[in-house]
Amino acid sequence: RVHGGELTAPPGLTQPHTGALFGSQLIFKYKNMESGSHWQLSQCFGGDQDPATEVAQADIVSACSFDYTGKYLAAGDRGGRVVVWQQEMAKPKMRRNGMTCPVEYKFYCEFQSHDPEFDVLKSVEIEEKIGQLKWLHRPSDSKFLLSSNDKTIKLWKIYDKDFKEVVETPVEGASVAVPRLQIVERATVAKPKGNFANAHPGHIHSVSPCSDGTSFLSADDFRVHVWDINHTQVTTSIRSNLFFFVCFFAFHTRLSLTCQICLSSSQRIQNIPTK
């Protein structure tokens, strides 16, 4: 539960301290299936910082998301950064708070997703704060992640890249050397693959990938846009009427061969009395 920039434990659990990661704690909770109702703290990132240390606003977690397999976790902060963790199977003897942990998440990569901008037409600053993080369903070894601030959505390709250099291998019995490529380093790289901007006059509050892996939708208070990840232009738009705010919009997570199902919620605009 997010409370004033901090993640707090549910009632009955020990209240965690403010952590070092993005200035707030990132917590996993593991349910003991044998008891059926007992929850324990499974993993905590950022709990090693002095609770008295003042937290910078840019270091506070603003969005978190598991991918559809549960193997990857992404978290974004108000400074526009995104950190990704990868799931690893914990050793059977590993215990936390007296309970065996089935999995453990290790650091995978980190990158800067958004930077502060300035809207010249409206003369307002656009924060770099990450508001939405969503993983795409893609049958590929590479991972695709959507991140957004209030105005712009970006598509990132996350993959493992081999860095190579040319080395010369001497040939036995000859005075020549044969050049060949040799892997010198393997690193995880986040590469931008799409920039979806200038479509929402209001603040983006919903981003939802389609189960087909090729499209997604975004929504503000009055508009819903459907995008194709291979293009940076809107393919379909839905506008709300003047009497309702769009509060939430999302695709169904299952793939349908005939149609795509969406879920939405709205709020009626209250009439403002005039004198």
Side-chain angles (χ1 to χ4, degrees):
R1 219 166 33 127
V2 178
H3 248 344
E6 297 182 6
L7 291 178
T8 60
L13 291 182
T14 303
Q15 183 80 6
H17 298 298
T18 301
L21 176 69
F22 303 146
S24 295
Q25 282 193 336
L26 189 60
I27 300 174
F28 297 90
K29 300 198 169 52
Y30 166 62
K31 186 176 182 180
N32 187 348
M33 300 304 293
E34 296 178 359
S35 62
S37 60
H38 189 62
W39 291 77
Q40 289 281 359
L41 180 65
S42 174
Q43 190 174 352
C44 176
F45 296 143
D48 55 350
Q49 184 178 353
D50 185 358
T53 303
E54 185 177 356
V55 178
Q57 288 294 315
D59 293 335
I60 295 177
V61 175
S62 57
C64 299
S65 177
F66 284 104
D67 78 326
Y68 63 96
T69 66
K71 294 181 179 180
Y72 295 91
L73 167 69
D77 66 5
R78 293 186 179 183
R81 293 165 294 184
V82 175
V83 178
V84 180
W85 291 268
Q86 184 181 27
Q87 183 188 98
E88 292 186 2
M89 297 304 297
K91 298 179 180 179
K93 64 179 181 179
M94 182 177 296
R95 287 179 172 269
R96 298 182 189 273
N97 297 333
M99 298 176 61
T100 302
C101 293
V103 295
E104 186 175 12
Y105 287 83
K106 297 289 185 67
F107 174 81
Y108 187 60
C109 70
E110 178 181 357
F111 58 93
Q112 184 72 29
S113 175
H114 287 73
D115 294 305
E117 302 176 12
F118 186 79
D119 191 333
V120 179
L121 296 178
K122 297 183 178 180
S123 297
V124 294
E125 294 182 357
I126 302 175
E127 288 185 317
E128 64 272 30
K129 181 184 74 173
I130 303 298
Q132 295 284 322
L133 286 173
K134 300 294 181 181
W135 296 87
L136 287 179
H137 297 247
R138 300 281 288 179
S140 170
D141 292 336
S142 300
K143 279 69 67 179
F144 292 86
L145 178 66
L146 292 168
S147 63
S148 75
N149 61 1
D150 288 340
K151 297 294 184 181
T152 304
I153 305 167
K154 295 185 179 182
L155 174 64
W156 296 89
K157 179 181 179 181
I158 303 173
Y159 61 100
D160 296 327
K161 181 178 180 180
D162 293 331
F163 293 89
K164 303 177 181 180
E165 66 178 13
V166 179
V167 296
E168 294 185 351
T169 304
V171 178
E172 185 178 357
S175 60
V176 298
V178 179
R180 64 183 181 87
L181 289 176
Q182 180 179 348
I183 299 176
V184 295
E185 183 183 2
R186 172 169 289 183
T188 303
V189 179
K191 181 179 179 181
K193 298 294 292 183
N195 191 55
F196 309 90
N198 304 322
H200 288 280
H203 292 178
I204 299 172
H205 58 63
S206 296
V207 174
S208 178
C210 183
S211 55
D212 61 7
T214 61
S215 57
F216 69 93
L217 64 79
S218 60
D220 59 26
D221 288 345
F222 293 102
R223 292 175 177 82
V224 178
H225 297 313
V226 179
W227 308 78
D228 189 316
I229 65 171
N230 299 314
H231 305 85
T232 57
Q233 295 181 346
V234 176
T235 58
T236 307
S237 294
I238 304 172
R239 295 195 63 175
S240 172
N241 60 46
L242 298 178
F243 301 101
F244 290 90
F245 285 123
V246 177
C247 299
F248 176 80
F249 220 99
F251 271 123
H252 195 285
T253 56
R254 293 288 298 274
L255 178 63
S256 173
L257 298 178
T258 57
C259 64
Q260 293 297 334
I261 302 174
C262 295
L263 172 70
S264 68
S265 65
S266 60
Q267 177 183 355
R268 186 177 182 85
I269 301 176
Q270 300 295 327
N271 294 328
I272 302 176
T274 59
K275 295 183 180 180

